[in-house]
Amino acid sequence: MSWTAKKLVDQLITVVEPSRVKIDASDLEYYGKDWSSGATPNPSAIVFPKSINEVQGLVGLANKLNFPLVPSGGRTGLSGGAVASEREVVVSFDRMNKILKFDKVDNLVTCQPGVITGDLKKFAESEGLFYPVDFASAGASQLGGNVATNAGGINVLRYGMTRDWVEGMKVITGRGELLDLNRGLKKNATGFDFRHLFIGSEGTLGFIVELTLELISPPEEPTVMLLGLQKIENTVKTLAVFKEKLSLTAFEFFSGTAMQKVIKSNELSDPFGRIYPFYALVEFENNNKDQLDVASVLFEKCIKSGYAVEGVVSQNQSQAKSLWKFREGITESIADYNPFKSDVSCRISKIPTFLQELEKISSVFSRQFEVVLFGHLGDGNIHINLLQPFQMDSQEFREECKKISKLIFESVQSLGGSISAEHGIGLIKKPYLSYSRDEAELNYMRGVKRLFDPENIMNPGKLVDI
């Protein structure tokens, strides 16, 4: 971009008031990145629209003057999807953060894209309802970013991905056109449903400016079991046992290394008095005594079969939340290690094969790196975290991690899996997209990008190039 900072600001303040355009170095640094590492933020300016009209005006200006835009929500992404490293203008949705309307008949809530996920969950609770999408960053992530990456999380096994709760949305395309998609309809058989193109598109086709989301009745009395396991393959065997007779809301697993980090970081008490190689966390609705009896029988079956060694079950909601801390605290507990993260998925039937391959790959590098594993095993999603040794240079660490990632992605590809289950592609995984999408699919993706954003101003360089 050849614009000087002053000339650029002079143009932007024709759309938004001057106080909502930032060019200070600290603002550029803060808003020009997300939670990923590896790319240096280098935006030209940060702009904070407050309305759909202002977003549309910004996109029109960008088309007219040919400067790129990068959307910015809670910036909790891990694939570089919100990084502005090429002098782009960052469009922050922090000021578009209102819950606009709630329809009690349809249980539909209409929100601006900057609403914090956790705030929507609290609003749902205040109405006696439940928004089921949940993950570790719910206290910081924004709804627009959730939809743009089709966020998953801990409840996917029972409730599905973010896309399953989007009943309507308004978007500004790369052409500057406002589209009002589906309008909250439960049934709508009128051709192409463009909602689902924009869900997961990472802001490359247009910007989400309004969302209509469905709320439901809350789950009844969720009960949590934490089990200690000796072998990684026993995680899947335990899942199979519990799925026989229970409708699970979550089935998570994590490694002993993850448990050690969480206990140390949060000063928690070890629930078993010893560290197991692996753990499984099972959650189900305990809405009658029979459910707990069934769960107890299934637990005993896991013990007798040698899948689990011991376990503990929550007796109330406070204990359930305490057991979840061992799983939900993992990401925060390893943050100081500058982890190199991968999140991949396979069909559940192929997870045992993948876990065995992953264990082989990890064992080769375990002398060099600590490997922290966890994931939403009930929906086939595994998170792999390589921790940077304190004595190793960051660049050397990243280069070694890329070698490991290639091996992991080759294994995923051989099993017909995905190199990104819920973190998106962004900048970081774009070089590896061909492991999950063949050339014909990639060409169609490029074609869709050109259709909605012919001037390539919407989050350029992310997901696919045109």
Side-chain angles (χ1 to χ4, degrees), residues 218-236:
E220 298 183 35
E221 295 295 326
T223 295
V224 175
M225 280 187 173
L226 183 67
L227 311 178
L229 316 175
Q230 290 287 8
K231 298 178 180 180
I232 194 168
E233 59 265 30
N234 287 345
T235 56
V236 183

Side-chain angles (χ1 to χ4, degrees), residues 367-385:
R367 292 182 295 275
Q368 189 175 11
F369 307 122
E370 279 190 293
V371 181
V372 170
L373 300 178
F374 63 91
H376 321 300
L377 199 68
D379 55 57
N381 180 192
I382 311 297
H383 293 267
I384 305 153
N385 300 266

Side-chain angles (χ1 to χ4, degrees), residues 75-327:
R75 299 175 303 286
T76 59
L78 295 167
S79 295
V83 171
S85 58
E86 301 291 339
R87 305 300 292 160
E88 303 97 332
V89 172
V90 172
V91 180
S92 170
F93 289 96
D94 283 3
R95 307 290 178 90
M96 294 179 69
N97 60 359
K98 295 181 175 60
I99 294 176
L100 301 173
K101 182 173 61 175
F102 174 57
D103 188 320
K104 292 187 177 182
V105 175
D106 293 318
N107 283 351
L108 295 178
V109 59
T110 301
C111 305
Q112 292 182 307
V115 171
I116 301 295
T117 311
D119 289 345
L120 176 60
K121 295 181 74 65
K122 291 175 184 175
F123 173 82
E125 289 175 11
S126 73
E127 297 288 342
L129 296 169
F130 182 58
Y131 181 62
V133 179
D134 199 7
F135 35 77
S137 63
S141 69
Q142 296 179 6
L143 296 177
N146 295 171
V147 175
T149 55
N150 189 27
I154 60 176
N155 289 334
V156 172
L157 177 61
R158 175 70 177 274
Y159 297 109
M161 303 285 282
T162 294
R163 81 165 62 248
D164 297 298
W165 303 98
V166 180
E167 297 294 344
M169 62 195 308
K170 292 181 181 179
V171 298
I172 304 295
T173 72
R175 295 175 181 268
E177 298 165 324
L178 173 64
L179 302 182
D180 188 359
L181 306 176
N182 198 60
R183 302 180 302 282
L185 298 173
K186 182 60 70 174
K187 286 186 172 182
N188 184 4
T190 55
F192 303 129
D193 189 344
F194 290 133
R195 256 184 317 170
H196 295 291
L197 276 178
F198 284 87
I199 297 170
S201 66
E202 302 184 36
T204 61
L205 306 181
F207 291 165
I208 297 164
V209 291
E210 190 175 288
L211 288 162
T212 299
L213 303 168
E214 184 181 7
L215 306 180
I216 58 171
S217 299
E220 298 183 35
E221 295 295 326
T223 295
V224 175
M225 280 187 173
L226 183 67
L227 311 178
L229 316 175
Q230 290 287 8
K231 298 178 180 180
I232 194 168
E233 59 265 30
N234 287 345
T235 56
V236 183
K237 294 175 180 177
T238 300
L239 170 63
V241 169
F242 276 94
K243 283 181 69 176
E244 285 178 8
K245 301 288 179 64
L246 284 178
S247 177
L248 304 179
T249 53
F251 189 97
E252 303 282 303
F253 97 104
F254 50 98
S255 63
T257 305
M259 176 65 98
Q260 289 175 320
K261 300 298 183 189
V262 171
I263 288 174
K264 181 179 179 181
S265 176
N266 296 280
E267 299 181 346
L268 300 175
S269 298
D270 189 326
F272 299 125
R274 57 167 292 187
I275 297 295
Y276 285 98
F278 297 95
Y279 296 84
L281 185 147
V282 186
E283 183 183 82
F284 58 95
E285 287 187 63
N286 184 18
N287 46 20
N288 60 63
K289 184 179 182 298
D290 291 343
Q291 292 291 93
L292 188 57
D293 290 342
V294 170
S296 298
V297 170
L298 297 176
F299 168 69
E300 291 297 332
K301 182 176 180 179
C302 287
I303 295 291
K304 290 178 180 178
S305 301
Y307 304 155
V309 180
E310 61 177 319
V312 61
V313 61
S314 64
Q315 301 300 315
N316 51 53
Q317 293 310 295
S318 176
Q319 290 182 9
K321 290 179 180 178
S322 294
L323 290 176
W324 264 111
K325 288 180 181 178
F326 294 110
R327 165 61 185 87

Side-chain angles (χ1 to χ4, degrees), residues 37-40 335-340 368-369 386-403:
S37 58
T40 303
D336 290 342
Y337 294 87
N338 189 29
F340 188 93
Q368 189 175 11
F369 307 122
L386 306 175
L387 307 189
Q388 180 179 341
F390 292 119
Q391 71 277 10
M392 181 177 282
D393 174 76
S394 293
Q395 186 59 36
E396 179 188 358
F397 172 65
R398 293 190 65 80
E399 291 304 315
E400 289 299 309
C401 288
K402 287 178 182 178
K403 297 176 186 177

